[in-house]
């Protein structure tokens, strides 16, 4: 049975799962969740995903949510095909875990915070909180300075090979670019090199506008 | 060479790492970094941890930071037959731990950190007053999340099922701070969350590190 990805085509988290599936050559079927009708808050949906968030997968009856957990599961299950996305050597795996954690604690919070103000709110006809947006930008700038140091010592965020740690940055990085902040990446030489590489991978180009 | 944890007894992320060491019966030594004096922002610290955050470990020359990464590394390397359950390696067991760990990182931690920051960190460490509006925002975000936790924990003892795993452990240090911040009712008012919290907070490994990593 083909992997079912219950999500929304343009959702950041749905596209995170999609790009990973593409890297692994794992076919999937996108089952659309009707956001506008509040399907993600319906009893049928919250029975699977109690937080009412997209996406979740149904892998032949095994259901899983949280995009990064789904990505890890697919990368482990399909380790024999496509790109190797989680190292198997223990020390390399530890550096990979460090990279994954860097993304979740040092990149994502201000990236999504900024994206909410300057992309999502305007999409919904709401007024951005400019002061908050500025705060997030300031935080991002200082975090990306640290990224530039890190990426001067290793090729990717999770080590010297591309891993899930890098792919997890794509949806939110794109949000920043969409909001006119490409300079955050381009003004830092190592970050610029890394961002250009990961954001032009065929797997991302295939899903970046629609999972 | 005994594992070195560069951190601070008062730091919740340091306690997360030392709690894992206790769970694994792994000896360790805390090398105290005085964050009140900005020691974590000095050049020699930044060389090891470019984000200037605590803790990091030195495992016989292997340096690693990010407490949740350290926890996974230690559990993978030092687990035995009894403790392997903390971080199972079968596909589905591992996936459920990662699902619950992701819930912690994205549905729990941001608002809990925010609330604790307003009530404790800002006044105690940054000489800033609590921003009541922001605090309320964090609590408004947290409440529906904890309702979902209560639903999950209605049919199972721990976040992944019958067994205590790293995913439950990742919640402990900051939940203790939530209590310290006078916000314990968030758990107490939800029967399953209250039961789960009472259970995990009573673990010997936590009692050993909760006041000083």
């Amino acid at each position: 049975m083909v992997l079912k990805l219950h999500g929304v085509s343009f959702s950041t988290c749905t596209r995170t799962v999609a790009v990973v599936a593409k890297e692994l050559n794992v076919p999937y079927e996108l089952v659309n969740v009707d956001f506008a009708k509040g399907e993600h808050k319906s009893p049928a949906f919250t029975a699977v995903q109690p937080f009412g968030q997209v996406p979740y997968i149904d892998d032949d009856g095994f259901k899983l949510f949280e995009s990064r957990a789904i990505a890890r599961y697919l990368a482990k299950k399909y380790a024999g095909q496509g790109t190797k996305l989680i190292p198997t050597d223990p020390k390399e795996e530890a550096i990979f875990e460090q990279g994954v954690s860097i993304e979740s604690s040092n990149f994502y919070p201000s990236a999504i915070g900024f994206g909410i103000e300057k992309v999502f709110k305007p999409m919904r006809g709401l007024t951005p909180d400019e002061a908050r947006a500025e705060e997030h930008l300031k935080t991002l700038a200082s975090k990306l300075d640290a990224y530039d140091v890190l990426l001067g010592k290793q090729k990717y965020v999770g080590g010297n090979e591309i891993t899930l740690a890098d792919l997890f940055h794509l949806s939110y990085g794109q949000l920043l670019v969409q909001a006119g902040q490409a300079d955050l990446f381009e003004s830092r030489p190592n970050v610029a090199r890394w961002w250009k590489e990961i954001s032009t991978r065929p797997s991302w180009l295939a899903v970046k506008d629609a999972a | 060479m005994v594992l070195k944890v560069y951190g601070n007894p008062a730091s919740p992320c340091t306690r997360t790492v030392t709690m894992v060491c206790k769970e694994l019966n792994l000896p360790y030594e805390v090398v105290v970094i005085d964050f009140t004096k900005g020691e974590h922002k000095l050049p020699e610290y930044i060389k090891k941890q470019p984000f200037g955050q605590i803790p990091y470990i030195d495992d016989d020359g292997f340096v690693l930071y990010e407490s949740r990464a350290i926890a996974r590394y230690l559990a993978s390397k030092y687990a035995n037959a009894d403790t392997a359950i903390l971080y199972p390696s079968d596909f589905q067991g591992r996936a459920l731990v990662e699902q619950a760990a992701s819930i912690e990182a994205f549905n729990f931690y941001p608002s809990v950190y925010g609330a604790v920051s307003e009530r404790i960190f800002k006044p105690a460490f940054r000489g800033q007053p609590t921003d009541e509006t922001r605090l309320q925002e964090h609590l408004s975000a947290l409440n529906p999340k904890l309702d979902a936790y209560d639903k999950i924990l209605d049919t199972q003892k721990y976040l992944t099922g019958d067994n205590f795993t790293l995913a439950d452990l990742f919640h402990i240090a900051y939940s203790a701070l939530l209590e310290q911040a006078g916000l314990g009712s968030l758990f107490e008012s939800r029967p399953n969350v209250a039961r789960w919290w009472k259970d995990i907070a009573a673990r010997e490994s936590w009692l050993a590190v909760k006041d000083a990593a």
Side-chain angles (χ1 to χ4, degrees):
Chain A
M1 198 192 91
V2 81
L3 179 76
K4 287 195 163 56
L5 174 58
H6 294 255
V8 176
S9 164
F10 55 82
S11 121
T12 48
C13 303
T14 305
R15 284 178 289 140
T16 295
V17 174
V19 70
V20 170
K22 291 285 185 199
E23 282 284 345
L24 297 167
N25 295 324
V26 172
Y28 63 91
E29 180 195 319
L30 181 70
V31 179
N32 189 52
V33 177
D34 196 338
F35 243 46
K37 290 211 174 89
E39 191 186 337
H40 54 309
K41 306 293 176 189
S42 69
F45 192 92
T46 58
V48 179
Q49 216 290 13
F51 299 89
Q53 297 161 324
V54 295
Y56 74 83
I57 57 160
D58 181 346
D59 185 23
D60 217 355
F62 178 63
K63 295 185 180 132
L64 199 68
F65 57 89
E66 291 291 316
S67 60
R68 294 170 185 78
I70 295 169
R72 286 167 172 274
Y73 167 72
L74 295 176
K76 290 251 170 181
K77 185 175 175 184
Y78 296 102
Q81 61 187 67
T83 311
K84 188 174 188 182
L85 294 176
I86 301 179
T88 41
D89 169 83
K91 284 186 176 164
E92 287 175 13
E93 190 173 5
I95 300 294
F96 154 77
E97 289 294 351
Q98 180 180 272
V100 163
S101 193
I102 287 169
E103 185 269 327
S104 71
S105 51
N106 284 308
F107 180 77
Y108 173 80
S110 27
I112 200 68
F114 185 82
I116 286 170
E117 296 302 334
K118 300 294 270 182
V119 178
F120 297 156
K121 277 186 172 174
M123 259 168 64
R124 290 180 217 146
L126 301 168
T127 318
D129 183 327
E130 295 293 346
R132 298 256 178 131
E134 260 320 293
E135 256 181 61
H136 289 306
L137 217 51
K138 222 175 134 197
T139 305
L140 263 174
S142 94
K143 297 298 187 182
L144 288 172
D145 286 343
Y147 267 74
D148 208 57
V149 171
L150 177 69
L151 292 166
K153 296 187 181 148
Q154 52 188 65
K155 205 168 170 212
Y156 296 96
V157 174
N160 283 315
E161 305 289 339
I162 195 166
T163 62
L164 291 182
D166 307 287
L167 302 183
F168 289 166
H169 289 80
L170 287 167
S171 281
Y172 313 106
Q174 188 186 323
L175 212 55
L176 293 172
V177 172
Q178 226 176 295
Q181 299 297 331
D183 196 58
L184 283 168
F185 298 143
E186 285 159 17
S187 62
R188 295 168 170 87
N190 300 313
V191 174
R193 185 263 314 154
W194 162 80
W195 175 251
K196 183 167 177 202
E197 259 189 65
I198 66 169
S199 61
T200 54
R201 285 180 82 83
S203 59
W204 179 241
L205 297 177
V207 307
K208 71 182 193 59
D209 297 315
Chain B
M1 197 195 89
V2 82
L3 179 77
K4 286 193 165 63
V5 181
Y6 290 79
N8 193 291
S11 132
C13 297
T14 304
R15 290 173 183 176
T16 295
V17 169
T18 57
M19 183 180 174
V20 171
C21 292
K22 292 287 184 195
E23 286 282 338
L24 299 167
N25 288 319
L26 182 65
Y28 63 90
E29 180 195 316
V30 174
V31 178
V32 178
I33 302 295
D34 192 347
F35 62 84
T36 64
K37 294 207 169 89
E39 202 180 332
H40 56 317
K41 306 292 180 189
L42 295 177
E44 53 262 45
Y45 191 90
I46 299 280
K47 266 196 207 114
K48 305 284 188 176
Q49 216 290 12
F51 298 88
Q53 296 160 326
I54 62 177
Y56 74 85
I57 59 162
D58 182 333
D59 186 18
D60 214 358
F62 180 61
V63 173
L64 196 69
Y65 54 89
E66 290 291 321
S67 61
R68 296 171 183 83
I70 296 168
R72 287 174 170 88
Y73 165 72
L74 294 176
S76 300
K77 184 173 179 185
Y78 294 107
N80 57 29
D82 295 321
T83 53
I85 196 68
L86 279 174
Y87 195 42
S89 37
D90 64 289
F91 290 142
Q92 292 192 2
R94 172 65 61 94
L96 293 177
V97 172
E98 293 298 353
Q99 177 179 270
S102 188
I103 291 169
E104 185 273 325
F106 298 100
N107 280 310
F108 181 82
Y109 175 78
S111 324
V112 172
Y113 176 84
V116 165
S117 193
E118 290 300 334
R119 275 272 171 99
I120 300 179
F121 298 157
K122 281 170 76 172
F125 299 118
R126 298 176 212 157
Q128 293 165 359
T130 302
D131 181 328
E132 292 294 338
T133 308
R134 297 251 179 149
L135 175 61
Q136 278 317 307
E137 275 177 34
H138 292 306
L139 296 177
S140 298
L142 188 54
N143 272 305
K145 305 295 188 185
L146 292 176
D147 289 340
Y149 270 75
D150 207 60
K151 198 171 148 195
I152 293 170
L153 293 164
D154 191 37
T155 51
Q156 52 195 53
K157 197 173 177 200
Y158 297 103
L159 290 174
T160 59
D162 295 330
N163 300 301
F164 176 82
T165 66
L166 287 187
D168 304 283
L169 190 151
F170 288 159
H171 290 76
I172 297 176
Y174 272 95
S175 293
L177 284 172
L178 209 58
E179 276 192 329
Q180 210 180 301
L183 296 166
S185 61
L186 288 164
F187 290 171
E188 286 152 28
S189 60
R190 295 172 167 91
N192 301 307
V193 174
R195 177 209 81 229
W196 164 78
W197 171 238
K198 189 170 174 200
D199 179 296
I200 64 178
R203 284 184 85 84
E204 271 181 44
S205 57
W206 175 242
L207 298 177
V209 307
K210 73 186 192 63
D211 295 315

